[in-house]
Structures are given as C-alpha cells and as structure tokens.
Amino acid sequence: MSTTRTRPPAPVPAPAPLPNPGTVLADCWTMTRRELVHWRRRPVQVVMNLTFPLMMLVMFVYFIGGGMSIDGYEDYLVPGMFALTMAFGLESTMVALTQDLNKGVIDRFRSIPMARSAVLVGRSAHDMLQSALGLVVLVLSGLLVGWRWHGSPLEVAAALGLLLWLRLAMLWVGVYLGLVAGRPEMVQAVQILVWPVAFFSNVFTSPSTMPGWMGAIADWNPMSATARAVRELFGNPVWGGGTWAAEHAWLLALAWPLLLLAVFFPLAVRRYVNMGR
Amino acid sequence: MTDGDAILVEGLRKEYGTKQALSGLDLTVPNGTVQGLLGPNGAGKTTAVRILSTLLRPSGGRARVAGFDVAAEPDQVRHRIGLLGQHAALDEELSGRENLEMFGRLYHLGARRAAARAGDLLERFDLAAAGRKPVSAYSGGMRRRLDLAACLIGSEHRGGPRVLFLDEPTTGLDPRGRGEVWSAVRSLVEGGTTVLLTTQYLEEADQLADDIAVLDAGRVVAQGSPDALKTRLGADRIDVVVRDPARLEAAASLVGMAARAAEVSRDTDRRLLSAPVTDRMAALAETVRALEAAGIEAEDIALRRPTLDEVFLHTTATTAPTAATATAPATKEGTA
Ligand SMILES: Nc1ncnc2c1ncn2[C@@H]1O[C@H](COP(=O)(O)OP(=O)(O)OP(=O)(O)O)[C@@H](O)[C@H]1O
Ligand SMILES: [Mg+2]
C-alpha cells in the first residue's frame, strides 16, 4: 500500500469491466467451490443427505410394499422414488438458501463487483452436483432392494436426464421460495406441504385407483409425469393409464419442468436483484 | 458536487413501511478525509451506510460515492468501496485464508494473486497463525480484523479502496483490538482513502474523524470538527471542586451567580460543581472572588471545553432515553 501519496488522484475514468462471460463463469465457479468446501466442514450432514433417500426407499419397499404384497412393487416404486427425491430437492435448496441469506457474508457478496448472478448460479450448480451424486446413490440403493432396469443404455441415460431436469426446475422453485420466505420458519410450512403433493401422484400407487378428481390431479402432477416417463424408459411396469396425461408422460416430463423454469427462474432472479429495496 | 468530494448525499430518505429510517440526510465528505457519523441506536447510521454501499435502495434523494450515483451505477461504486458492516460479513465455515482467497477471486485477481494477497493480509492483520482455522473458531477481535482485511483484498493494489465504510468497527472489541483497528484506519487514510465511520464511541470519533455529523431520527442535527462541535453546541464550562462537602450547596449558588448560569450540576461524591459559562475570564475571576469572600475553600477550579459526550447528549436529547444509555459518559454528573 502506498503511503507516499497523501491526496488521492482525480477520479480515474471508470475501468468498469462489463460483465464478460469469462468472469461471470469464474464467479459462478468460485461460489460453487465455496459450497463444496462446506462439505469438508460438515461431513455428517453430507452423509445424512445422501442416505436419507436410501432410508425412504427401504421403508417404502419393505413396509408399504410388503404390506400390499404386490409382486414387483419395487420395480414400480423405485423409479417413483427417484422422481420424488428429485422433486423434494426443492426443500434442501430452500433451506440452504434461507440459511445463507441470513448470514452476513451475503452483504459482502452484494457489495463487491462480482457477477450478480453468481450467488444463485453457484447455489444451483452445487445443488445439481449434489443431486446427481444423490441419484447415483439412489440407483445403487434401488439395485440393492431388487429393482432392475430393462431399457437400453440410451434409454437409461434419458431417464436420468429427465430426473435431473425435474430437479433443476424444482431447484429454481426452491430458490424463489427461499428468497420470498427469507426466514427459516417458512421452510417448515413447505416441508409439510410437499407431502400431500407427493401422495397426490403416481409415485406410490396408480392414479386409476384414486377417486376421480384426485386421480386427475395425480395424473397431471409434474412428479407423476416424470415418474411415468422414467418407468417407461427403464422398462419398468406402468400401471393404469388411458388418460391423455398418462399417454403423453414423456412430453409432460419435458414440458412441466420447462414451464416451472420459465416462471420461477425470472421471478427468482428479479427477487434477488431487488433484494435491497 | 466537486471532484474533491468522495461522498455526496442530498435529501436521502429511506422508509421501511411507515417507519422513517432516514428523513432527508445531507452530507458532503471531501476526498481523503474521515467523516464520523454519530448517533443513538436507531438513528439511521446503518441504513445510511447500507445505501451508500449499494446494499439498499433509497426511497428518495440521491447519493454519489467516488463520483458515481449509488442507485444508477452501483457496479462502478462497488469497484471503489470497501464495506465493514455492523456484523461480520464472512463465511463462518471457511477458514480465514479461504475467505480472503474467495473474495480475492471474486474481485477477479486470479487464483495466484488472490492467494498471495490473502497471505500478505493475514500477516498484516496478525492472523497468519489462525489462517487455516474456520472463522467460527475466531474471537471477536480476530473476526473484525479478518473482516477489515476482506475490505482491502480487492483494491489494495490501488492504495486501498477509494472510500471505506466502517459501521461501528470497534463495537465489542477490547482496547487492544480497538487500537489495532484505529491504526489500520489511519494508515489507510494516509494512503488517500476516504472513510465514513459510524460509532457509538465518542472517543473514537474524536480520535479518528476530521468531521463529525451527529445523526438523530434520520437526519443530521449537528455537524462540524470535533473542536467546533464542542464549542458550538456546548458552552465552555467551569468546574469547581469544593473541599468541604457541607458547603457544596452554598458554593453552588455562588458559582451559579458568578458564571451567570441557569443551572449548576452537582456531583456530591466528587464534591464537583460544573456550570456553563459565556465569558470565560470574567466567570473565572468572579467565581474565585465570590468563593473567597464566602470563605469556601476550593480544591480546584478549572475552565474546560465540554466533552463530546455532553455534546452528544445535548444534541440528541429529543430522543428516547436509550440515547443516553448508549453513551458512556466520561464524567458522572447529577443535574440540579
Ligand atoms: N429492515 C428493516 N425493517 C424495518 N425497520 C428497520 C429495518 N432496518 C432498520 N429499521 C429501522 O430503521 C431505523 C434506523 O435503523 P438503523 O439500523 O439504520 O439505525 P442505527 O443508527 O444503525 O442503530 P444502531 O446504533 O442500533 O446500529 C430504526 O428505527 C430501525 O428500527
Ligand atoms: Mg447500526
């Protein structure tokens, strides 16, 4: 630091670097890295996050599946659980974001000339990485409880892609809700409300066994669309069907997340940018 | 505004719902100076700092920092400022070094330069030994020093940030930590950095600031150099220490008459009388004469400038009593 100069120079013409794609990417990566360093500091939480879906899988396959004594229930349920886990990712995104926003460090991020988008993009890149890893653990757990896929490698890859596509959409719903909630109390409400959404779907049973209106909701549930589409791609049984939504599951599995993204991504970004109002 | 002003604030307003946090703040801070912002809890100090550092949008008025409008050109402002907020702005889970490197990268120093500068700053702020520990294990003073280092990592190559905002930088620090922060601030000012400093400690403003603005209920109620403030807002005072506590009351009325003061404050524990004066020499001479004539022995008689505490209490007297408890009066005085 210079101590020879006692008066500052006249204001230099602004070296205001326009957001160049390289620095934006670099900032996003810096923010993703920050989250990954956190893993090192909370190994227990990381292990818990990864094993929670396994626990759910075991519970549903052996307790509920066992109780219903349906042959091959795991082949029906496991892909549904994949979709459910991806959709529930909304919660973890929301929790992490509200916790982050209540920390002072966000003030520094907002007061330095980094890419505005990096905080949210870093969050989503990290959450996608975590979910991809979670999905691998979940697939292995599925194999462990007796689930098998019968599709071609390409179909399996497409199924995994559709699952992550749903996760990405739910991620931005989570980001938006996290920004709106602001406080951890609101998170609990969402954590409870996701359960009815989960049961009004084809994850556990076929919508055709539900009362009419309930079945319709379950049919059109974004989670159902993804679940049915990946069941088809994995070559696993799909029950019921006959409705338009069921017949065009793959289309809905693409369109629903796209719609959610189209709505919640701009909402979330605007909310974040306007945080100081 | 002239090129010589680092901060220019005009009629700045901020409402939270119906609550007026700032109600028409005006302030001009010339380049290279230290501006103190003094005020009781809730006066609007943090709100002002957050608006000037682009974290908060004003409801009205305008503010320019380092030549740029904070609302219209926030990114330009961000390139030229450092912010030490009221609460530490650090990632608690990362180590001190990881924090500095992360902020260095976000200032686009590149990985290698960020690492080198993080090392330098850890040395400079005496944190090298704790550099690898997570911040959650740091003491309050260490956290504050790291926070200050983080303010500098982006712009030190240009001689520190152009404008540095310090929101209660030493609240909660022990005297040693306070001294360290003060000397760091002084060396930055030598390098040409303009500083806006909010504080609850009058001594701190007195020590560091070239100019002090007293804030109350969202606007400036008094402003000037520490000396000018003392002169303008509090008259000079005469202090008399009486030897015999039994004669304190008698002495008080004599001092009151001699100094032509409406009220004389008494501190019975210290046998101290204190009264404002207008004509210093006449008051001194008359007090001495009157006490002698009455046969009251004085241990000490002195003329003095008011302390900043007295100025502060006087100018912010309109607000809730919390204003008084927020300050730590240097002299204990009971008012008659
Ligand atoms: N987010 C907010 N929502 C509502 N009111 C707020 C908010 N932030 C501040 N206020 C109010 O605005 C006023 C000014 O607050 P500010 O934090 O600027 O005061 P301060 O001078 O920094 O006080 P302190 O010395 O306690 O830090 C206070 O009355 C406060 O209650
Ligand atoms: Mg404050």
Side-chain angles (χ1 to χ4, degrees), chain B residues 158-177:
Chain B
R158 302 200 298 260
R162 287 274 315 277
V163 182
L164 183 62
F165 296 100
L166 305 173
D167 196 359
E168 302 196 18
T170 63
T171 299
L173 294 194
D174 61 17
R176 182 170 157 266

Side-chain angles (χ1 to χ4, degrees), chain B residues 41-42 44-47 86 167-168 198 200:
Chain B
N41 292 132
K45 304 181 296 293
T46 298
T47 304
Q86 189 164 356
D167 196 359
E168 302 196 18
T198 84
Q200 305 262 4

Side-chain angles (χ1 to χ4, degrees), chain A residues 1-2 5 7 14-17 27 34 37-38 40-42 104-105 107-108 110-113 116 276, chain B residues 31 50 55-57 76 78-80 83 89-91 93-95 98 103 107-108 147 158 187 190-191:
Chain A
M1 166 174 146
S2 145
R5 178 160 56 74
R7 286 277 115 183
D27 288 354
R34 162 176 177 250
V37 175
H38 287 167
R40 260 193 4 231
R41 296 275 146 73
R42 30 172 128 131
V105 70
D107 276 352
R108 192 175 297 286
R110 291 179 60 233
S111 74
I112 66 183
R116 297 287 85 189
Chain B
N31 262 322
R50 288 179 71 83
L55 293 182
L56 204 61
R57 290 213 154 220
Q76 296 285 2
R78 288 177 193 128
H79 274 283
R80 290 163 180 80
L83 169 65
L90 300 164
D91 189 316
E93 287 176 77
L94 302 190
S95 71
E98 284 164 342
F103 294 126
Y107 273 108
H108 309 127
D147 215 5
R158 302 200 298 260
S187 80
E190 262 170 38

Side-chain angles (χ1 to χ4, degrees), chain B residues 120-130 142 145 176 180:
Chain B
D120 290 348
L121 285 167
L122 288 172
E123 270 320 317
R124 177 170 156 196
F125 286 94
D126 200 15
L127 291 165
M142 289 162 78
R145 295 207 300 275
R176 182 170 157 266
E180 283 167 357

